[in-house]
Amino acid sequence: MHLLLHLIVIVLAFISHEHRAMAQYVPPYTSIVVPVNKHTDAAKPLYSVQIMTSYVNMQYSHANFLIDIDAPFIWHDCILQWNIYPGSCPNNTLCTSPVSCEEYQCTDVRTTYSYENPSCPPVTNSSTLPGWGDCTCPVNVADPVTGSCGEALLNYDEFTVNTSIGKNVFTGLYGAYPNAACAPPSSFESFPANVTGVMALSSSPYALPAYLFQPLKKTLALCLPSKSSMPGVLFFGSGPYFLLPNSSVDVRSYLSYTTLLKHPDSFGYFIGINAIVIKQKSIGIPGNFSTKLSTLDPYTILRTDIYNRVLQIFSRYTVGIPKVSPIAPFGLCFRISTTTHAGFKFPDIDFNLNDGKKWTISMANSMKQITKDVTCLAFVDGGSTAEPAIVIGTYQYENNFLEFDLENSIFGFSSSLLLKQTSCSNFNFTLTDGN
């Protein structure tokens, strides 16, 4: 009996020691980091992240996923196999393991975390794969470019990303194992070239943030580039974050914060805007509306009554700049050549937030050069019944540093980094060993 008690004490001591060792372990990284690319070869500007998806012939394969902060789950170009063994997957193809229709993830995704699209037909369990013969789990997906409905098969996936302490990229890797979905190659015909997936970064439990665990803090930081030739950066973790040339300045010092709001019909992110201000002239936002943050809409969308007031006041304060006929989708354009652009000053547009903070949209994010002689106010009319009344689009994010703190439900924003003599394309992607 005494021997048994002695053994129990030894085992418990060993377990306690292991737990203390795990608790004391401090990893050499504070975040994961991936490049963000801008694409202009689709129907609208879009942005992608590059993820490592499989390890073949002693090296990782990479795939580009559109960034979607509203999507309920990840989906991409891959195929399912019940039994994956070396050599069983076709060349240049990503193979993953299927989720059975009998598993709880299948029912959960279909009933609670699916794409809401009225054009999608009901899914069934009729699909099977060679091998075991078990039923797979078809789920609906929505093309973010065309809005059309498609079908994918839920899977067990594996993604790999680099780690960082916010200054550069480590050779050390981090693995994530989400339930994603496989769609056929034809599903991505409307996507930009070499983009074959949608990366869900929403609040859904099937989006990527839900699969990123300790020691990473549940904070997503996004910095969209303004040029296709130079990548921006996405972090997930506690920070700090650094951009050249001020490599000793944590970008978080530039941020103001406001509350992230929830919307009952969306997994996306919302903030409260109570007024739009141009040159001290305030446009009140009537009602208790929340503003949606979008990574798929290229320009900020305003409900018609708000949009008309913005155009009216903006026109009043740009009376000295020659106007030209509007170029769709914009409603207010000016004759201003690229060579004389610096000689004109357009007013800032401030989003006044519910908690007293102010997000300033400077000229770099409010004016879009359309031709060498014409620039337009980069806001669009969403119609008289638009809901939400305001959707902030990606042109307004470019070279702004955005932080989604999902643990504390707060949103950080920098306004234009160009005013700080840096940009989203100034992260140092040089690979180091982290020592």
Side-chain angles (χ1 to χ4, degrees):
M1 184 67 177
H2 290 291
L3 178 60
L4 177 61
L5 289 174
H6 184 65
L7 288 173
I8 291 173
V9 169
I10 292 175
V11 170
L12 291 175
F14 176 78
I15 293 173
S16 176
H17 173 76
E18 289 296 306
H19 281 183
R20 286 197 303 271
M22 291 175 64
Q24 293 168 0
Y25 171 70
V26 178
Y29 58 88
T30 58
S31 60
I32 62 172
V33 59
V34 293
V36 174
N37 293 305
K38 181 177 180 178
H39 304 271
T40 56
D41 58 340
K44 58 184 177 181
L46 293 164
Y47 304 81
S48 72
V49 288
Q50 188 178 83
I51 304 292
M52 289 175 271
T53 56
S54 60
Y55 191 68
V56 180
N57 297 327
M58 303 299 292
Q59 63 181 2
Y60 278 98
S61 299
H62 296 77
N64 296 313
F65 296 73
L66 291 183
I67 297 172
D68 190 345
I69 59 174
D70 195 50
F73 55 83
I74 306 160
W75 56 285
H76 62 122
D77 183 4
C78 53
I79 64 172
L80 300 184
Q81 286 190 348
W82 288 115
N83 299 299
I84 299 176
Y85 51 87
S88 67
C89 188
N91 291 335
N92 302 316
T93 303
L94 176 63
C95 294
T96 63
S97 300
V99 170
S100 165
C101 68
E102 297 175 350
E103 296 180 75
Y104 82 91
Q105 295 100 320
C106 184
T107 302
D108 201 30
V109 168
R110 284 181 179 177
T111 58
T112 311
Y113 302 105
S114 63
Y115 277 84
E116 295 295 331
N117 189 327
S119 67
C120 291
V123 292
T124 68
N125 293 336
S126 59
S127 176
T128 60
L129 292 175
W132 295 350
D134 291 349
C135 59
T136 51
C137 180
V139 290
N140 288 324
V141 293
D143 186 319
V145 181
T146 65
S148 61
C149 186
E151 191 174 279
L153 298 176
L154 202 64
N155 69 9
Y156 292 100
D157 227 318
E158 178 180 355
F159 297 143
T160 305
V161 289
N162 287 105
T163 56
S164 176
I165 56 169
K167 286 194 173 183
N168 47 27
V169 180
F170 289 172
T171 53
L173 302 176
Y174 182 98
Y177 306 91
N179 285 124
C182 288
S186 58
S187 303
F188 307 98
E189 291 175 351
S190 65
F191 283 38
N194 301 316
V195 177
T196 55
V198 171
M199 181 54 64
L201 297 173
S202 69
S203 62
S204 164
Y206 291 93
L208 184 65
Y211 296 92
L212 302 176
F213 302 107
Q214 295 291 345
L216 297 176
K217 180 185 176 185
K218 290 198 174 299
T219 298
L220 171 70
L222 180 63
C223 207
L224 298 184
S226 59
K227 299 178 181 178
S228 302
S229 57
M230 303 174 68
V233 61
L234 180 147
F235 298 97
F236 193 94
S238 61
Y241 316 115
F242 301 95
L243 298 172
L244 298 172
N246 302 318
S247 57
S248 62
V249 177
D250 185 349
V251 180
R252 292 179 300 180
S253 66
Y254 302 148
L255 304 185
S256 298
Y257 290 89
T258 190
T259 303
L260 276 174
L261 305 177
K262 296 185 182 297
H263 193 286
D265 300 320
S266 175
F267 302 113
Y269 304 109
F270 296 77
I271 58 174
I273 293 179
N274 58 41
I276 298 175
V277 179
I278 304 170
K279 286 277 192 180
Q280 286 77 54
K281 189 68 175 178
S282 180
I283 303 163
I285 308 301
N288 185 26
F289 296 105
S290 56
T291 293
K292 183 178 181 177
L293 304 171
S294 172
T295 52
L296 297 178
D297 293 294
Y299 307 104
T300 291
I301 302 168
L302 304 175
R303 199 178 58 204
T304 299
D305 58 321
I306 304 170
Y307 180 76
N308 288 341
R309 287 285 289 146
V310 167
L311 261 59
Q312 180 186 36
I313 295 173
F314 201 85
S315 295
R316 182 186 307 171
Y317 290 111
T318 53
V319 68
I321 304 175
K323 296 179 175 60
V324 298
S325 298
I327 297 176
F330 307 114
L332 182 60
C333 297
F334 303 86
R335 184 167 300 285
I336 174 171
S337 70
T338 53
T339 57
T340 61
H341 194 286
F344 292 94
K345 175 64 175 175
F346 291 94
D348 291 341
I349 299 174
D350 293 330
F351 293 147
N352 282 9
L353 307 177
N354 289 349
D355 45 13
K357 303 297 176 55
K358 178 177 69 175
W359 185 356
T360 296
I361 308 299
S362 63
M363 189 169 70
N365 295 105
S366 65
M367 305 306 299
K368 171 71 174 177
Q369 194 78 32
I370 305 301
T371 71
K372 65 182 183 67
D373 297 316
V374 175
T375 190
C376 297
L377 181 64
F379 291 71
V380 298
D381 186 350
S384 60
T385 60
E387 170 57 34
I390 303 174
V391 178
I392 302 181
T394 53
Y395 189 76
Q396 279 64 53
Y397 303 153
E398 290 184 351
N399 292 319
N400 284 234
F401 198 89
L402 310 178
E403 185 183 65
F404 301 80
D405 184 334
L406 308 183
E407 290 184 5
N408 298 302
S409 294
I410 56 175
F411 172 68
F413 54 94
S414 68
S415 295
S416 179
L417 293 173
L418 302 180
L419 302 176
K420 303 293 186 181
Q421 287 73 54
T422 189
S423 75
C424 288
S425 296
N426 276 13
F427 179 72
N428 181 8
F429 277 101
T430 302
L431 198 65
T432 71
D433 62 9
N435 296 323

